[in-house]
Amino acid sequence: MIIRTDTGQPIDTADLSPEERHVVQKLLAWMTLVDSVDQFRQKTHQALAAGWNDSGPIRETRALTRIVQYLEKQVRKRLKTPSGRGSFKC
């Protein structure tokens, strides 16, 4: 999957480790369900701490950090819309 950040820079998730891709998949789901940015951050920390199938902590690479920051911005945008549902692009 290609995730295009706000600056237009693409990040190919194929370049991430399987563990990092697993975290991204979790966060893509959570970004539509959380009620606050703080809750999204908590879910991010939980996913990074648990790892893949509770294999242990995942170290955030630069690419994963950029993806998490982008997804957090998308959560903010979604929460600002009157219905709480905005559109986002990956």
Side-chain angles (χ1 to χ4, degrees):
M1 171 185 347
I2 304 292
I3 298 176
R4 199 165 296 280
T5 64
D6 292 338
T7 62
Q9 186 174 26
I11 302 170
D12 190 345
T13 58
D15 296 336
L16 301 176
S17 69
E19 295 82 7
E20 290 174 307
R21 285 193 300 275
H22 180 75
V23 168
V24 170
Q25 289 172 348
K26 283 184 175 184
L27 296 180
L28 286 169
W30 278 115
M31 69 183 281
T32 63
L33 300 171
V34 295
D35 296 326
S36 69
V37 174
D38 285 336
Q39 188 179 22
F40 183 77
R41 287 179 182 159
Q42 288 173 346
K43 295 298 181 184
T44 300
H45 292 299
Q46 288 172 354
L48 290 171
W52 191 0
N53 291 330
D54 292 322
S55 62
I58 296 172
R59 192 165 151 223
E60 229 178 316
T61 61
R62 181 180 162 105
L64 183 58
T65 298
R66 288 180 24 233
I67 292 171
V68 169
Q69 290 170 344
Y70 172 72
L71 296 179
E72 191 174 299
K73 285 181 186 178
Q74 297 306 305
V75 169
R76 274 194 194 90
K77 286 180 186 178
R78 180 182 64 85
L79 294 173
K80 283 184 181 180
T81 61
S83 66
R85 295 179 186 199
S87 62
F88 59 90
K89 296 179 183 177
C90 288

